[in-house]
Amino acid sequence: MSAEERRESVVRAAITEFARSGYNGTSTEAIARRVGVSQPYLFRLFPNKEAIFLAASRRCLEDTNRVFESASEGLEGDEALHAMAGAYQKLIAEDPEKLHMQMQMCVAVASAEAAGDHAFGESVRADWLDLWDTVHLALGADVKETTTFLAYGMLINTLLSLGFPPGNRVWSGVYDSARPAGD
Amino acid sequence: MSAEERRESVVRAAITEFARSGYNGTSTEAIARRVGVSQPYLFRLFPNKEAIFLAASRRCLEDTNRVFESASEGLEGDEALHAMAGAYQKLIAEDPEKLHMQMQMCVAVASAEAAGDHAFGESVRADWLDLWDTVHLALGADVKETTTFLAYGMLINTLLSLGFPPGNRVWSGVYDSARPAGD
DNA sequence: CGAGAAAGCTATTGGCCACTCACTAACTTT
DNA sequence: AAAGTTAGTGAGTGGCCAATAGCTTTCTCG
């Protein structure tokens, strides 16, 4: 397998592991095991652990961006909104790790900034802005709509991270089309 | 100093340290140093590191709950909403670590649940429900209002964690009264 | 004062983990 | 077939960290 292909599978494995246990809670060995490769070899493919985390973070935001882009393609206004909400629900149901990874990314950026490392945050913010713009465009460049949509998304992320089961009253005010299934 | 008073200062120090570096990124020695006490002594005050994190998490949610309760006291409807939004802004400005701790708490619960430990999540969910009820009551038991308020709160947490400076376009749709100062 | 309890410390240990080094095996090119 | 490159490994290493054991100091109260 070529180095590039290996890097690709490392990124996928890293998303799974980092989503579950966070940056500091994930050992490079856990990632290597999931890839099916020796742990030292990761350091031939990436300069260090941070680089793996960054690659996983970026991939995750790009994927989410793509989900919104393709869901809203050709639609506008309320139709685009519901299409994106539905797509998000589907993402949550099929790929909850992406969402957990996003949370891990947030706290990792906060920690990095606190430690004086701004490069990581810079990169993540750029990707997040892309996401913001995608939503903004799809919702007819209405700032209020965009903000509310993303706000609901963040609430959903939070409630899911905290493990509130579908049916709990905290879900009662969330758009049906974006709620986790099962309620 | 009595053990109870020490525990109190440990909780405060723990909030600062865990907020900055997360559960796995924070050493018990960092907490002990901040308290001004030897590292092993922490384990006389708390059974283990997890218990310290749990205490810090609960404290943090209780404090936020109290902020909303006292801000909305005697008010209702839009007045209560703006009072709470303003109080949240003040909390953010004066005590950003509380907010970072909340994010850390979220991902810690997610990790604990994934690892099969549901006790921690149970406790945090109970405290979060208290918070939900406080907001719900203050906003006249309007589910939609409550959800939107909390959703905006979560968006603000996320954007602050990611380090978006005041003035960035991602803030443009956030209620003025809840935005970070400086814009 | 004296004794017990509570507060607090030093020293240590066993385990984990990011990262390095030096090597092998297979494939490619000349 | 010689020379070189690329994928990959096994065996460490130094450092950190949660938790324990056992000791000293300080307070309290009869």
Side-chain angles (χ1 to χ4, degrees):
Chain A
M1 196 180 289
S2 80
E4 208 42 64
E5 287 169 317
R6 273 294 186 213
R7 255 186 284 267
E8 171 61 27
S9 42
V10 169
V11 167
R12 272 204 295 269
I15 289 177
T16 302
E17 293 294 332
F18 283 132
R20 189 166 305 173
S21 318
Y23 179 75
N24 286 294
T26 300
S27 67
T28 54
E29 203 192 326
I31 298 171
R33 202 167 34 235
R34 183 169 289 273
V35 176
V37 100
S38 71
Q39 178 262 353
Y41 188 51
L42 293 187
F43 295 90
R44 294 269 162 121
L45 301 171
F46 293 88
N48 50 40
K49 188 182 176 183
E50 235 186 272
I52 302 178
F53 188 83
L54 177 59
S57 298
R58 302 203 61 183
R59 169 64 54 86
C60 209
L61 278 173
E62 283 164 17
D63 285 354
T64 306
N65 198 344
R66 223 186 329 273
V67 164
F68 285 147
E69 251 172 8
S70 70
S72 67
E73 208 173 10
L75 304 177
E76 49 183 40
D78 256 23
E79 280 186 9
L81 187 134
H82 286 114
M84 290 199 297
Y88 199 55
Q89 185 196 19
K90 200 171 153 222
L91 183 70
I92 285 165
E94 289 172 6
D95 234 352
E97 68 187 22
K98 289 248 172 69
L99 176 155
H100 286 127
M101 183 69 205
Q102 280 174 32
M103 300 291 288
Q104 299 288 1
M105 204 177 63
C106 278
V107 306
V109 169
S111 295
E113 297 280 329
D117 167 19
H118 299 284
F120 179 49
E122 210 55 60
S123 165
V124 170
R125 280 190 290 276
D127 288 338
W128 173 271
L129 275 175
D130 284 345
L131 188 69
W132 197 89
D133 288 337
T134 297
V135 173
H136 192 54
L137 192 68
L139 296 182
D142 181 324
V143 169
K144 207 79 196 175
E145 285 275 320
T146 303
T147 305
T148 302
F149 181 82
L150 291 172
Y152 271 74
M154 293 308 104
L155 178 63
I156 290 166
N157 280 5
T158 306
L159 298 179
L160 282 174
S161 286
L162 291 178
F164 281 107
N168 189 293
R169 68 177 178 280
V170 297
W171 292 110
S172 54
V174 177
Y175 289 138
D176 287 345
S177 52
R179 254 190 240 190
D183 175 19
Chain B
M1 195 179 291
S2 80
E4 209 41 65
E5 287 169 316
R6 273 294 186 213
R7 255 186 285 267
E8 170 61 29
S9 42
V10 168
V11 167
R12 272 204 295 269
I15 289 177
T16 301
E17 293 294 333
F18 282 132
R20 189 166 306 172
S21 317
Y23 179 75
N24 286 294
T26 300
S27 67
T28 53
E29 202 192 326
I31 299 170
R33 202 167 33 237
R34 183 168 288 271
V35 176
V37 100
S38 72
Q39 176 261 349
Y41 188 52
L42 293 186
F43 294 89
R44 293 268 162 126
L45 300 170
F46 293 88
N48 50 41
K49 188 181 176 183
E50 236 186 270
I52 302 177
F53 189 82
L54 178 58
S57 297
R58 302 204 60 182
R59 170 64 53 86
C60 209
L61 278 174
E62 283 164 19
D63 285 354
T64 307
N65 198 343
R66 225 188 327 275
V67 163
F68 284 147
E69 252 173 5
S70 70
S72 65
E73 208 173 11
L75 304 177
E76 49 183 42
D78 257 22
E79 280 187 6
L81 188 133
H82 286 114
M84 290 198 298
Y88 199 56
Q89 184 195 21
K90 202 171 151 219
L91 184 70
I92 284 165
E94 289 172 3
D95 234 353
E97 67 186 23
K98 290 249 173 65
L99 176 154
H100 286 126
M101 183 69 204
Q102 281 174 33
M103 300 291 287
Q104 299 288 1
M105 203 177 63
C106 279
V107 305
V109 168
S111 295
E113 297 280 329
D117 167 20
H118 299 285
F120 178 49
E122 211 55 59
S123 165
V124 170
R125 281 190 290 276
D127 288 338
W128 173 272
L129 275 175
D130 284 346
L131 187 71
W132 197 88
D133 289 336
T134 297
V135 172
H136 192 53
L137 191 68
L139 296 183
D142 182 324
V143 168
K144 208 78 198 174
E145 285 274 321
T146 303
T147 304
T148 303
F149 181 82
L150 291 172
Y152 270 74
M154 293 308 104
L155 178 64
I156 290 166
N157 280 7
T158 306
L159 297 179
L160 282 174
S161 286
L162 291 178
F164 281 108
N168 189 294
R169 68 178 177 279
V170 297
W171 291 111
S172 54
V174 177
Y175 289 139
D176 287 346
S177 52
R179 256 190 239 189
D183 176 19

